[in-house]
Amino acid sequence: MGRKNKPLPILENVTITDVAAEGKSLARVNDMVVFVPWAVPGDVVDLQVTRKKHSFCEARIIRFIEKSPLRIEPRCAHFGVCGGCKWQNLPYEEQLKFKHKQVFDQLTRIGKVELPEFRPIMGSVHKFEYRNKLDFACSNKNWLTQEQMNQGVPFRSGIGFHISGAFDKVLPIDKCHLMDDLNNRIRNFVYQYALDHELTFFDLRQQNGLLRDIIMRNSLSGEWMVIFQFGTTNPIALEIEEGESKKEGKRNYNELIQKECQEMKYFEREKAEALLDAVHQEFPEITALLWVYNPKCNDTFYDLDVHVHYGKDYIYELMEDLRFKVGPKSFYQTNTEQAYHLYSVAREFAQLTGEELVYDLYTGTGTIANFVAKKARKVVGIEYVPEAIEDAKINSEVNNINNTLFYAGDMKDILTDEFVAEHGRPDVIITDPPRAGMHPDVINVILNAQPKRVVYVSCNPATQARDLQLMDADYRVAAVQPVDMFPHTPHVENVVLLERR
C-alpha cells in the first residue's frame, strides 16, 4: 500500500516579521521559516501550509487576526491575483527600505566581499504609469479561481497576463496602472473587436488561433508602437520519424516553419489586417503599428519578420540631449525616466575624463555607450541581438557620435583576449548583463584585460554578488548604489563600482 500524505497543518496566530525574495513575506514558527504571499510585516494571521520542506514551508493566509499598520489599499483591482505588483499593499517608502535591505543581504551573504557603506536607494520618479512597455497574452482560456471552478464557471477568452502555475491561461486585465492609460483603451478595444468579429484566441495547448500576443511600447517623445503577434490555424507539429535523429527532426521543423512564414498558407491574413485597420482608425496616436506571423511553438519573434501595417518600424526615446531609436526587437529599460538616473550613476562611477577607452558589455541599443561617449575617447559596445546593434549604430549617427564601435554576437564568443588585443585594453568596463549575470569566460577576459574600473549594473543583485566574489582578488568594491526601477515589485537594480586593487 502507498503511504498516505499527511494533511498539511494550520498555523495559528502567526506574526509576519519581514519581506523575503520574490515579493513574499516571512514569518518564523518555532525553528521553521514560513514564506507567505500577499502579507505585510506586522500582520497577525492564521496560515494554511501549502508546501512543507525540512527547514521551511510555504503557506497562505486563511484569516486575519490583526492587520499591519503598514498596510495600505492597493490601487489595482487585479491585485492579489495578477502577481505583477506584489507590493501595492505596502507604502512606497517601506518598499524602498526592503529593497535596500535585499541588496545589502545578497551582496553580504552571497558575495562575502568587503563592502563600503551603501548609498541610500534611489526611488523611482513615478510610482505608477512608469513603464514604457507591456506584453499582453491572448488566450482562449481565462484563469479561474478554485471557487469559480467549483461553481462551474465556464472558461472564456481573454487578453491579459499569464498566471504563475497556469501556462495555458491568462488573467484578463481591465485596467493596468503600470503604463499610460492608452494601453488599457487599446487592449480593451481589441478584445471587444475580437468578440464582435468572432476572431479566435490562441490555444496554448493546441497551438492554434489568430490572436496570440500584443506588445505595446511608448516613449517620452510621445510615440507609440503596437506589435500584434498572430498565430496559425494549423500548427506545424512535426513527428520525428522512426530512425530520424533529433537534430534532423529539428532541422526539418525549422524548414517547415520558414516555408510557412513565406507562404502564410495557414494565416488568416484578411481578418488580421481588418483588425489592424480598425486599431489604426480608432487610435491615431499609434505611430508604429506592426505585426508578426508566428507559427512556432513559442512566443519569441527575434528570428521572424516584423511587418509594418502603418507608420514606421521604430520609435524614438529621449534621454538628456540624445535620441535613441527603439525597434520591435530592441531592448530598452522599461522605466525611461528612471533609466536616466540609473545610467547617470553608471557614468558618474566610470569617472571619465575624455581620455578613456570604454567597453560597454551587453550594450543593447547602445544606450549606455552613447550616453557616456561624449566623455570618453572611444566606446566599444557588444550585444547578442544583431538588430539591437544596428539600432545602436544608428543611434550614434542620429546623435552625431563618432567615437563608438559596435559588435553583435554571444558575449563569451566576442569578448576574448584576442578581441582585447585587437581593440585595445580598456580603461573602464561598463557591464549590464541579463539576470543570469556574466559567464565565467567573460569574467576571466575582464580580469585579464585589467581595466582600472569596472562599473557593474545589475538587475539581479544575487548573481551580481556571485560575480563580485569571482573578481574580488583583483577588484575591491568602492561604491554601491541601489536603484528602484520597478515600484510595487520586488525587483531592484544595483550599480557597483569596482576598482583595481
Side-chain angles (χ1 to χ4, degrees):
M1 291 179 64
R3 186 169 31 174
K4 291 184 179 179
N5 292 327
K6 292 182 180 179
L8 293 170
I10 290 176
L11 307 176
E12 297 181 329
N13 202 33
V14 175
T15 301
I16 305 297
T17 57
D18 205 348
V19 167
E22 300 177 359
K24 295 177 182 177
S25 291
L26 181 146
R28 295 183 183 274
V29 178
N30 299 323
D31 294 328
M32 178 74 70
V33 176
V34 186
F35 296 105
V36 186
W38 315 116
V40 169
D43 283 339
V44 182
V45 292
D46 289 344
L47 300 172
Q48 171 66 66
V49 174
T50 57
R51 181 168 174 253
K52 192 174 185 301
K53 295 293 183 180
H54 177 68
S55 58
F56 73 92
C57 67
E58 296 177 4
R60 62 180 177 86
I61 298 171
I62 56 175
R63 185 169 74 97
F64 281 96
I65 297 171
E66 182 181 338
K67 291 189 175 182
S68 170
L70 293 180
R71 270 188 174 270
I72 61 173
E73 191 66 27
R75 176 182 291 191
C76 182
H78 303 293
F79 178 78
V81 181
C82 167
C85 299
K86 297 182 186 298
W87 285 356
Q88 273 195 30
N89 54 4
L90 264 178
Y92 187 57
E93 296 72 21
E94 295 297 323
Q95 296 179 31
L96 292 179
K97 290 179 185 177
F98 288 120
K99 291 189 181 192
H100 190 280
K101 181 177 181 295
Q102 175 187 333
V103 173
F104 179 82
D105 288 347
Q106 290 178 329
L107 262 59
T108 304
R109 178 173 50 84
I110 300 172
K112 296 183 175 67
V113 298
E114 185 179 352
L115 297 168
E117 183 176 350
F118 286 21
R119 295 184 177 190
I121 187 169
M122 190 177 290
S124 178
V125 177
H126 297 290
K127 301 172 184 62
F128 290 97
E129 297 188 358
Y130 60 82
R131 288 186 67 97
N132 58 37
K133 180 184 178 184
L134 282 175
D135 189 339
F136 295 102
C138 307
S139 174
N140 67 330
K141 283 186 179 180
N142 68 312
W143 187 85
L144 299 174
T145 64
Q146 187 62 51
E147 182 180 0
Q148 288 173 321
M149 287 191 288
N150 292 341
Q151 293 172 352
V153 174
F155 289 111
R156 60 184 178 89
S157 57
I159 303 177
F161 298 130
H162 284 289
I163 296 294
S164 177
F167 82 96
D168 63 334
K169 302 176 183 67
V170 300
L171 175 70
I173 299 296
D174 295 317
K175 186 177 181 66
C176 179
H177 298 273
L178 295 184
M179 195 177 188
D180 183 282
D181 189 58
L182 184 59
N183 92 85
N184 297 308
R185 291 191 282 125
I186 294 172
R187 185 190 59 256
N188 293 336
F189 173 83
V190 171
Y191 180 62
Q192 191 58 52
Y193 178 96
L195 294 180
D196 292 343
H197 293 79
E198 299 182 345
L199 303 186
T200 56
F201 288 73
F202 200 67
D203 186 323
L204 268 160
R205 291 188 180 274
Q206 298 299 321
Q207 288 290 303
N208 61 5
L210 181 63
L211 280 177
R212 182 165 186 165
D213 191 78
I214 308 171
I215 298 172
M216 302 186 201
R217 306 183 86 146
N218 69 351
S219 67
L220 294 180
S221 65
E223 297 173 290
W224 277 79
M225 173 188 292
V226 178
I227 310 163
F228 281 85
Q229 197 168 166
F230 295 115
T232 180
T233 58
N234 184 27
I236 299 169
L238 181 71
E239 295 183 5
I240 299 176
E241 296 180 2
E242 188 175 351
E244 185 178 37
S245 69
K246 288 185 179 180
K247 186 175 182 180
E248 289 173 329
K250 185 173 182 180
R251 184 180 65 248
N252 291 338
Y253 176 77
N254 290 337
E255 288 176 355
L256 285 174
I257 289 291
Q258 292 173 9
K259 183 180 178 182
E260 173 57 20
C261 284
Q262 291 171 354
E263 297 179 353
M264 298 189 184
K265 184 178 178 181
Y266 301 111
F267 174 37
E268 297 176 308
R269 185 162 181 167
E270 288 186 7
K271 292 182 179 180
E273 291 186 339
L275 166 63
L276 293 167
D277 287 339
V279 170
H280 169 54
Q281 185 72 27
E282 186 73 16
F283 301 102
E285 304 97 322
I286 301 173
T287 54
L289 183 56
L290 315 175
W291 62 273
V292 178
Y293 174 47
N294 182 1
K296 301 190 304 175
C297 292
N298 60 66
D299 289 336
T300 60
F301 61 91
Y302 289 104
D303 55 341
L304 300 175
D305 291 333
V306 179
H307 307 269
V308 178
H309 184 78
Y310 170 80
K312 51 195 180 182
D313 64 351
Y314 61 89
I315 57 177
Y316 276 113
E317 190 54 271
L318 307 178
M319 187 175 290
E320 276 190 346
D321 57 344
L322 303 175
R323 292 198 305 158
F324 294 100
K325 180 184 177 185
V326 181
K329 299 179 183 180
S330 300
F331 169 79
Y332 196 89
Q333 287 282 2
T334 50
N335 185 338
T336 304
E337 293 188 66
Q338 196 66 355
Y340 167 69
H341 295 289
L342 180 74
Y343 296 154
S344 294
V345 171
R347 185 171 61 186
E348 175 199 344
F349 281 7
Q351 302 171 38
L352 302 177
T353 65
E355 301 298 321
E356 292 83 7
L357 171 61
V358 179
Y359 282 12
D360 179 28
L361 310 185
Y362 313 93
T363 190
T365 56
T367 313
I368 292 180
N370 286 297
F371 189 67
V372 305
K374 292 181 180 179
K375 292 182 176 290
R377 173 170 57 88
K378 183 179 179 181
V379 183
V380 177
I382 305 173
E383 164 63 34
Y384 179 75
V385 180
E387 289 87 355
I389 285 296
E390 292 307 310
D391 285 346
K393 294 176 182 177
I394 291 172
N395 287 331
S396 289
E397 293 174 11
V398 167
N399 293 288
N400 298 313
I401 296 171
N402 303 310
N403 60 337
T404 57
L405 283 174
F406 295 101
Y407 296 88
D410 192 307
M411 187 64 62
K412 64 179 173 52
D413 297 331
I414 297 291
L415 185 69
T416 61
D417 293 334
E418 293 74 20
F419 182 93
V420 174
E422 178 182 351
H423 294 277
R425 185 174 68 83
D427 300 293
V428 177
I429 288 180
I430 301 175
T431 180
D432 186 4
R435 291 190 62 78
M438 295 191 291
H439 192 281
D441 292 350
V442 175
I443 293 176
N444 288 334
V445 174
I446 293 174
L447 296 177
N448 292 339
Q450 300 181 354
K452 296 175 185 176
R453 289 177 293 281
V454 177
V455 180
Y456 193 147
V457 183
S458 173
C459 60
N460 186 353
T463 54
Q464 183 185 47
R466 177 204 65 199
D467 293 346
L468 295 181
Q469 188 179 56
L470 295 175
M471 303 174 71
D472 186 54
D474 294 339
Y475 288 88
R476 70 177 187 89
V477 177
V480 180
Q481 175 65 73
V483 181
D484 183 27
M485 301 286 289
F486 308 107
H488 315 300
T489 79
H491 302 295
V492 60
E493 299 262 340
N494 191 47
V495 189
V496 168
L497 169 61
L498 295 164
E499 292 182 344
R500 185 163 175 77
R501 294 187 184 276

